[in-house]
Amino acid sequence: MENNHENFKSVIAIIIASFFWGTTGTAASYAPDISSLAIGAFSMGIGGVLLVITARKKLLIDYKVMLKQPKILLLGAASVAIYPLAFYTSMRLSGVAIGTVVSIATAPFFAAILERLISKKCISLQWILSFVVGAIGITLLTLGKDQSDNTAYSVNQQSLGILLGCIAGFTYAGYSWAARSLIESGVHSTSSMSGLFGCAALLLLPSLWFTGDNLFSSSTNTLVSLYMAIIPMFLGYLLFGFGLNFIDASKATLITLIEPLVATVLAVFIIGERFKVIGWVGVALVLLCLLMQTIKTQKQLQMN
């Protein structure tokens, strides 16, 4: 009973984190003069520093266990460092909705491959069905972009944005898998997440010397920069780390498909991006994918 309850709380924590993450593209659109590299490096870098400060006591206990797994630690840290750079540039090139959708939608596929090839975990039929439904939904959402609106992007821009979105999805899966692997080895979830993000911050923050000129050039830019670092990155990843305590990375990344839904709704109603009917059918399928991942937990709670 208790394990099911913790499982359910983990799902809810990841859903809330996904809502936070879904606001990042819209928030970044209010500061177009900040480069995508700078906003990514600052938000993830400062978020990493805050995570380290919050988890410092647990890190002092767990760091030796983490250092015994240098390959996992380095893979996770490198993935964290690359992810925001690819993610925010993808949104700049292909639009908030498509950039977010591709980045997040490809992550479950890569996460399942990593778990199968490295951790030797079986892929469940429920996951396969959920992924198929989600993948179809993501495809329809991408095809459903109305290119007649004022936010249309060139074919070359959108293609490069989609490619960077796939790279973001791979690195997202990479650090999710690394965090989960560290947790399974006995590292606390807050230590795992903060350790990876802290190492990535060492790579990301120095890059601001070259890219961060406009981060605080106006009150709007300052608010956007601080919001991105504190809410989606710091609080979001605290919740995500808690969720990884009880569910696998492949399922966690699949649940985060709610992020592109939030991003799409905000892009439509705030930024002005438009989608055809087929795009909204895709939204419905992604919602169904999310439901397929959470319905089992709810049933188990009712049975117990």
Side-chain angles (χ1 to χ4, degrees):
M1 172 67 180
E2 176 153 352
N3 187 50
N4 290 331
H5 183 60
E6 294 294 341
N7 195 322
F8 182 68
K9 286 198 297 185
S10 296
V11 171
I12 296 302
I14 292 174
I15 288 175
I16 295 172
S18 301
F19 268 101
F20 287 158
W21 296 335
T23 66
T24 56
T26 297
S29 72
Y30 283 95
D33 54 334
I34 301 178
S35 78
S36 56
L37 298 179
I39 198 70
F42 180 82
S43 59
M44 203 68 104
I46 296 299
V49 171
L50 293 174
L51 285 169
V52 168
I53 293 172
T54 302
R56 61 190 183 279
K57 291 182 180 179
K58 289 187 170 65
L59 272 173
L60 288 173
I61 298 172
D62 293 333
Y63 80 94
K64 290 182 180 179
V65 179
M66 297 173 70
L67 291 177
K68 288 179 180 178
Q69 305 170 80
K71 291 182 180 178
I72 293 176
L73 188 61
L74 289 174
L75 171 64
S79 296
V80 172
I82 295 169
Y83 171 74
L85 308 181
F87 178 56
Y88 290 109
T89 305
S90 174
M91 287 194 291
R92 283 283 169 89
L93 292 175
S94 57
V96 170
I98 289 178
T100 308
V101 162
V102 173
S103 298
I104 304 306
T106 54
F109 172 75
F110 290 123
I113 296 301
L114 286 172
E115 287 182 351
R116 182 71 184 118
L117 294 180
I118 303 176
S119 302
K120 307 300 181 184
K121 292 183 178 179
C122 294
I123 299 176
S124 69
L125 177 61
Q126 180 191 14
W127 185 94
I128 294 173
L129 293 174
S130 298
F131 176 77
V132 170
V133 171
I136 294 172
I138 296 303
T139 302
L140 294 180
L141 180 57
T142 303
L143 294 175
K145 181 73 179 291
D146 189 343
Q147 297 295 335
S148 66
D149 64 19
N150 294 327
T151 61
Y153 299 82
S154 71
V155 173
N156 288 337
Q157 272 188 315
Q158 190 157 303
S159 299
L160 181 56
I162 289 173
L163 175 61
L164 287 169
C166 291
I167 293 173
F170 177 73
T171 53
Y172 178 24
Y175 72 73
S176 298
W177 173 83
R180 175 65 178 174
S181 296
L182 290 172
I183 290 170
E184 289 178 340
S185 71
V187 176
H188 192 277
S189 63
T190 54
S191 298
S192 171
M193 197 60 69
S194 61
L196 296 179
F197 276 65
C199 291
L202 297 175
L203 301 173
L204 290 170
L205 292 180
S207 71
L208 294 175
W209 179 265
F210 306 99
T211 63
D213 293 344
N214 295 322
L215 281 169
F216 305 106
S217 60
S218 69
S219 57
T220 299
N221 286 5
T222 300
L223 286 173
V224 168
S225 299
L226 293 176
Y227 170 80
M228 299 277 275
I230 295 170
I231 304 301
M233 297 306 140
F234 174 53
L235 292 180
Y237 282 102
L238 272 182
L239 291 168
F240 188 66
F242 170 79
L244 286 174
N245 269 313
F246 302 99
I247 57 180
D248 290 332
S250 56
K251 182 172 182 178
T253 51
L254 201 56
I255 293 171
T256 58
L257 285 176
I258 198 169
E259 178 184 344
L261 299 182
V262 174
T264 299
V265 170
L266 292 177
V268 168
F269 290 103
I270 296 180
I271 299 176
E273 295 183 8
R274 292 207 299 259
F275 289 84
K276 303 170 187 174
V277 174
I278 190 174
W280 292 109
V281 172
V283 170
L285 288 177
V286 175
L287 278 173
L288 177 59
C289 169
L290 178 67
L291 181 63
M292 291 171 70
Q293 276 301 305
T294 57
I295 193 76
K296 182 178 179 182
T297 302
Q298 292 172 342
K299 279 185 177 180
Q300 287 175 338
L301 284 173
Q302 290 171 357
M303 290 172 64
N304 287 281

